[in-house]
Amino acid sequence: MNKIKTLCILAAFVFAGFGANAQLTHLEQSIYLNFNLPTGQFNDDVALNAANEAIPMTRFNAGKAAVFGFGLGYRVSYRFDVGFGEVSPYIHGDFQWNRIKSDLRESYMNAGDGSCPNYFNIPIYVGVNYRYQLDDIFTPFAEFGIGPDFLFITKESGSNATAGTFKLRYQSTTNVAFQLGLGCYFGQHVSASLHYNGYGKHAIKYSGSPEMDNLALAAADASATATQTRSIGMMSLRIGFHF
């Protein structure tokens, strides 16, 4: 958390620096629709076999097998005319949702009407956007942001012959996230952009029973440890509405 606080403080100084050296044009608020595609370990496959087909996730697979998801975002920014385009320091929050892959969801349905885990990422960025207006319609831009990401994993539940009825609840750490984006404004009120969101490595713990651990260990790699770490990232298509 100390790293996150330091980065946010530095970003705040950057934000203030722009205010001291450029002329304020106006405050802008934005709402975004996000369509995201998981990358890295977040998208890793989970192989189903006899040992884990009834409870495929547990701590050894939590944070994997995410598929295409959706999200909403909100931003407040200031636009400054710097003579060769506009610079907009901003504060931005996203709410991103991803399900797990369909074959895994089906295995939960077969496990006594089980409930499969869902993933929620809530990053809060402080960053800067640069745009350059080509004409009345097209204004390309690039941006960067950094801040904390909060990962939440919903519980999984079901039943099987070994563990009986089970419920697993997850806890994950917060980590430093960043985003890089390229896009274009179309007029004054609509934009489209592509972003890479790196949410960092999150440690994942869970509460379960010894029977669940034994069953999960039978399906896990020998190198797996009690606390699992996942590298979370995604590509996003972002549609923005500005006012």
Side-chain angles (χ1 to χ4, degrees), residues 11 13-14 28 30-31 39 46 58-59 69 83 92 100 120 129 132 143 145 147 184 191 200 202 204 220 243:
F13 277 114
V14 172
E28 182 177 83
S30 305
I31 295 174
T39 62
V46 173
T58 73
R59 71 168 180 264
H92 180 111
I100 60 174
F120 296 93
N129 169 293
Y132 186 85
E143 63 183 42
C184 187
S191 68
H202 292 265
I204 298 171
F243 50 94

Side-chain angles (χ1 to χ4, degrees), residues 204-227:
I204 298 171
K205 297 180 179 180
Y206 87 134
S207 58
S209 66
E211 293 81 8
M212 290 294 297
D213 275 348
N214 291 336
L215 189 59
L217 280 167
D221 294 333
S223 60
T225 58
T227 299

Side-chain angles (χ1 to χ4, degrees), residues 42 62-63 94-98 117-124 149-155 169-174 199 202-204 232:
F42 200 32
D94 274 331
F95 181 87
Q96 306 274 33
W97 166 69
N98 295 86
N118 287 265
Y119 302 130
F120 296 93
N121 283 280
I122 305 176
I124 300 174
D149 173 61
F150 303 90
L151 171 66
F152 298 93
I153 304 175
T154 63
K155 70 178 181 180
R169 290 179 172 82
Y170 293 93
Q171 293 182 328
S172 58
T173 57
T174 302
Y199 295 146
H202 292 265
I204 298 171
I232 308 294

